[in-house]
Amino acid sequence: MTPNKNLLTDDFGRTHNYLRISLIEKCNLRCTYCMPADGIALSPKADIMTAQEIYAIAKTFVHHGVNKIRLTGGEPLLRKDFPEIITQLATLGTEISITTNGILIDRHLEVLKANKVTKINLSLDTLVATKFNAITLRNQFQGVIDNLHLLLHNGFQVKVNVVLIKGFNDNEIIDFINLTQHLPLSIRFIEFMPFAGNEWDRSKMVSQQEILDLVHTAFPPADVEKLIDDKNFTSRDFKIKNYAGSFGIISSITNPFCDGCNRIRLTANGKIKNCLFSNHETDLLTAYRSGEALETVIATAIQTKMKVRAGMTSIDEINDPALHQDNRSMISIGG
Ligand code: SAM
Ligand code: SF4
């Protein structure tokens, strides 16, 4: 089939050249804002995409214009066949990156380098070991810190994802920014988002404005430099003058960035999610297994994407649990 250059463009002119694939629903942490307290019902193993299916489906997207792939999860590095998956995907010639909690980085360092992965997003919500144990329900702080330094030492471009929760880690915002004084890291503060079972509440969220107010009290205004945002940005980026790294704010709740959205998500069980906030899913794996043309299914998913946050245009709608309680937990979407 010849490439269809319109397949990945929606009614609002957004071209979806960035595919985020969740490899697994399982995780070796239990971050309370992500994994519901009672866990999640895992898909039967037979319903999870195999390495070969991931490759074949990704290849179709790449054929029609995807040029960026991110692997996520659950914890993507928990997949036993991760080396096989990344090695196959690397042959597609796109940029490949991963989002990980960092625990298994040391085991996979060589395969990441061998496949020219240079960009890693590592999630770390606190710089205090006891708080890490409390939010992740696991005792892995030092291993994550060591792996963060291992990545920097090996020349990877590292972004650190920090989900801010009021009263838990908002008092560490400046400590995280201070890390960028000597380390070439990009810290990304993420507004806490609602998903099934994560007990989201507006009052637990730290907003973009609150973060900026704090930054402006901690640093002289002339030292806080606004960086130029990418056209498909999720993070509005800043830098403290003369610091080695930078920081940014991902404000999906208070200041969404849907106009430039180029992201399309594939869950580990092969469903397309056209928006992180959408309850709706389109089953691509079943189509693949029954030999149907994937393009028809992909077109449906793209054409039904709404302009802003799956139709939740205001913060009042986000406050309404009825509008997001059916959305999968983040652990099974992949962020
Ligand atoms: N396990 C990997 C990790 O933690 O990086 C990849 C999957 S995780 C679901 C992807 C990203 O989603 C992480 O950076 C995580 O902090 C973020 N995330 C999870 N739940 C969230 C929520 N409720 N609001 C905002 N971000 C969330
Ligand atoms: Fe696991 Fe990542 Fe979710 Fe934490 S944020 S529970 S590490 S998937």
Side-chain angles (χ1 to χ4, degrees):
M1 181 182 276
T2 47
N4 175 352
K5 65 178 174 44
N6 297 321
L7 182 73
L8 299 174
T9 302
D10 70 8
D11 289 348
F12 306 99
R14 298 174 294 197
T15 298
H16 296 79
N17 62 327
Y18 181 8
L19 177 65
R20 301 172 65 107
I21 307 175
S22 174
L23 299 184
I24 187 166
E25 295 173 350
K26 294 181 187 162
C27 191
N28 42 5
L29 293 182
R30 292 282 177 279
C31 307
T32 54
Y33 54 78
C34 175
M35 170 77 103
D38 299 335
I40 58 163
L42 295 173
S43 302
K45 191 157 188 279
D47 292 356
I48 299 291
M49 295 185 292
T50 64
Q52 180 276 326
E53 287 167 340
I54 292 168
Y55 171 73
I57 291 173
K59 190 174 176 191
T60 302
F61 276 99
V62 171
H63 182 67
H64 294 295
V66 160
N67 56 16
K68 208 172 154 187
I69 295 176
R70 175 172 296 276
L71 303 179
T72 176
E75 175 46 43
L77 299 182
L78 262 188
R79 259 213 55 165
K80 295 215 167 48
D81 54 358
F82 178 79
E84 180 189 345
I85 293 171
I86 194 109
T87 305
Q88 286 180 350
L89 290 176
T91 65
L92 295 174
T94 68
E95 174 187 310
I96 302 187
S97 52
I98 64 168
T99 299
T100 172
N101 60 30
I103 294 173
L104 298 173
I105 280 288
D106 47 334
R107 281 197 217 163
H108 291 97
L109 198 70
E110 292 312 316
V111 80
L112 292 170
K113 282 190 199 169
N115 288 292
K116 309 220 167 9
V117 176
T118 57
K119 296 181 179 175
I120 309 265
N121 288 4
L122 186 146
S123 303
L124 177 67
D125 303 311
T126 172
L127 299 170
V128 180
T130 48
K131 286 169 72 176
F132 180 94
N133 300 349
I135 196 84
T136 66
L137 309 183
R138 294 290 183 273
N139 179 6
Q140 298 279 356
F141 179 73
Q142 198 53 49
V144 174
I145 295 289
D146 291 348
N147 278 339
L148 171 59
H149 288 285
L150 183 69
L151 286 170
L152 292 175
H153 185 71
N154 280 274
F156 286 86
Q157 292 174 50
V158 183
K159 292 182 179 172
V160 173
N161 286 351
V162 184
V163 177
L164 287 175
I165 299 178
K166 200 162 275 180
F168 173 70
N169 58 358
D170 46 344
N171 62 348
E172 294 188 63
I173 292 173
I174 304 304
D175 296 341
F176 271 107
I177 295 177
N178 283 337
L179 267 190
T180 69
Q181 183 171 6
H182 301 296
L183 298 177
L185 288 172
S186 164
I187 305 286
R188 289 138 35 105
F189 299 112
I190 305 178
E191 287 182 348
F192 178 32
M193 292 185 269
F195 296 94
N198 78 350
E199 294 177 13
W200 184 85
D201 188 299
R202 170 86 175 84
S203 65
K204 293 182 189 164
M205 195 194 74
V206 184
S207 70
Q208 169 178 273
Q209 194 54 52
E210 288 169 301
I211 300 166
L212 287 177
D213 288 347
L214 198 69
V215 168
H216 285 120
T217 52
F219 298 98
D223 287 359
V224 183
E225 298 172 358
K226 176 77 192 77
L227 301 178
I228 295 168
D229 297 320
D230 179 78
K231 103 171 155 40
N232 306 114
F233 75 92
T234 52
S235 164
R236 293 178 170 87
D237 293 332
F238 302 82
K239 183 176 175 43
I240 304 299
K241 201 173 180 175
N242 299 327
Y243 278 22
S246 61
F247 68 96
I249 304 171
I250 302 184
S251 55
S252 323
I253 306 290
T254 65
N255 193 7
F257 30 79
C258 306
D259 283 350
C261 183
N262 63 341
R263 294 167 291 282
I264 187 96
R265 293 178 165 82
L266 189 60
T267 64
N269 65 345
K271 309 277 196 286
I272 301 178
K273 271 185 96 77
N274 64 12
C275 174
L276 202 48
F277 286 90
S278 171
N279 300 342
H280 188 72
E281 302 182 351
T282 315
D283 188 354
L284 194 57
L285 183 59
T286 301
Y288 176 77
R289 289 182 178 176
S290 53
E292 287 168 41
L294 297 188
E295 284 79 1
T296 317
V297 184
I298 295 171
T300 306
I302 299 282
Q303 294 316 325
T304 51
K305 178 159 173 159
M306 301 184 87
K307 190 171 185 325
V308 176
R309 278 188 311 226
M312 287 185 272
T313 49
S314 72
I315 208 157
D316 287 344
E317 285 164 297
I318 291 189
N319 274 328
D320 179 356
L323 292 178
H324 51 73
Q325 68 194 4
D326 294 333
N327 195 5
R328 286 177 187 239
S329 303
M330 187 66 134
I331 186 151
S332 70
I333 303 175

